[in-house]
Amino acid sequence: MLKRLVVAIDGPAGSGKSTSAKLVAQKLGFLYIDTGAMYRAITFLAIKNNVLQNNDAIIELAKNSGLDLEFTNGETHVSANGLDITDKIRTQEVNVNVSDISKIEGVRKALVDRQRELAKKNIGVVMEGRDIGTVVFPNADVKIFLTASIDQRAIRRTKEYEEKGVHISLEEIKANIQQRDTIDSTRDVSPLVKAPDAIVIDTSNISIKEQVDVILNLVQQVVHKKE
Ligand code: DC
């Protein structure tokens, strides 16, 4: 019988976080939480409400949008006050604006509170993002920091869009990822940094199975120690 366990997976866009986090959660029967989807949801709502330039209004959205995440059929379904917005959060317009929205301290505070609340739903959680091991769960049982070369990351994201029938050029995707990396890692509040006790896995040249196995082994080691 497992005791409560949190696996934190951080890293830049396209480093393999979602792919491995989903599979690790599935193998362990844990709850999977994609925190990027929440920042994307607030960005979509800010665009829709035409308040991209109004931080106070965006913070209100983060506090009062009743964000919910449900992971079904291999996909995170996002809703705001009961309305499904899953299809709206991965557009290029959201890609371009999401890092600026993520810099706002009040937005982060509201979403981190919600992330901690969502995590209570299960005995085991795999949460992925940029600040999970540093801010959201600094005492997480397993902390992973995934990296990969920029070219690999851009190729992966381009393929993901192609599979969904969305055609965005490799160059455009690469430029967006680079821009987001810069903003995400240099912002004042909860920047994307490796937690001192996180284990780095470079996924540029390893298979998905290998990434997942490394993480599962780390989780098993922690479980044995706890027993
Ligand atoms: O994981 P993603 O690419 O869907 O995340 C979208 C953006 O959300 C990312 O560029 C920065 C922000 N984000 C964040 O600031 N903190 C998190 N924990 C997760 C995502």
Side-chain angles (χ1 to χ4, degrees):
M1 173 70 178
L2 285 175
K3 299 193 184 81
R4 186 176 172 79
L5 216 141
V6 176
V7 180
I9 305 187
D10 290 302
S15 56
K17 293 189 304 293
S18 299
T19 310
S20 36
K22 278 178 202 173
L23 290 167
V24 168
Q26 193 186 31
K27 286 254 175 203
L28 297 169
F30 283 11
L31 181 67
Y32 162 64
I33 301 178
D34 170 6
T35 61
M38 300 169 79
Y39 290 91
R40 289 175 172 277
I42 299 306
T43 306
F44 162 71
L45 294 172
I47 295 167
K48 186 173 158 238
N49 289 286
N50 212 3
V51 293
L52 269 182
Q53 306 306 325
N54 181 341
N55 283 10
D56 289 340
I58 301 170
I59 294 168
E60 279 311 304
L61 286 173
K63 284 183 180 165
N64 299 318
S65 296
L67 278 194
D68 213 357
L69 301 182
E70 199 164 317
F71 186 66
T72 37
N73 298 329
E75 194 181 14
T76 294
H77 292 266
V78 187
S79 61
N81 291 329
L83 196 73
D84 193 309
I85 54 170
T86 310
D87 291 345
K88 316 247 191 286
I89 65 166
R90 302 201 186 268
T91 63
Q92 196 57 350
E93 199 180 10
V94 169
N95 285 344
V96 169
N97 288 290
V98 66
S99 285
D100 283 328
I101 300 295
S102 309
K103 286 198 288 193
I104 305 169
E105 190 167 12
V107 169
R108 301 204 70 84
K109 193 183 168 324
L111 294 191
V112 168
D113 285 349
R114 184 77 184 116
Q115 287 153 19
R116 291 182 180 144
E117 205 175 283
L118 288 171
K120 288 184 191 155
K121 286 186 181 176
N122 203 308
I123 186 144
V125 179
V126 180
M127 189 177 284
E128 60 139 311
R130 303 291 189 286
D131 60 341
I132 311 308
T134 50
V135 176
V136 185
F137 285 113
N139 297 320
D141 301 272
V142 178
K143 294 186 189 179
I144 309 290
F145 192 86
L146 292 185
T147 61
S149 70
I150 176 69
D151 285 323
Q152 266 301 333
R153 295 192 282 130
I155 290 168
R156 285 177 189 162
R157 272 292 139 96
T158 311
K159 272 194 193 149
E160 279 166 22
Y161 278 109
E162 291 289 329
E163 278 161 18
K164 287 184 187 166
V166 180
H167 307 291
I168 309 174
S169 73
L170 181 66
E171 290 69 32
E172 195 178 338
I173 289 186
K174 188 170 167 181
N176 172 256
I177 288 181
Q178 278 172 320
Q179 190 195 18
R180 285 204 282 140
D181 280 356
T182 306
I183 303 176
D184 295 346
S185 1
T186 56
R187 69 184 172 221
D188 292 335
V189 196
S190 321
L192 166 67
V193 282
K194 181 188 100 58
D197 50 348
I199 290 161
V200 179
I201 306 174
D202 185 332
T203 67
S204 308
N205 297 308
I206 61 173
S207 68
I208 291 169
K209 186 178 181 312
E210 282 169 312
Q211 310 169 27
V212 170
D213 284 347
V214 172
I215 301 172
L216 286 173
N217 274 333
L218 291 166
V219 175
Q220 288 308 335
Q221 285 172 25
V222 170
V223 172
H224 285 313
K225 262 194 220 157
K226 277 190 162 201
E227 275 167 358

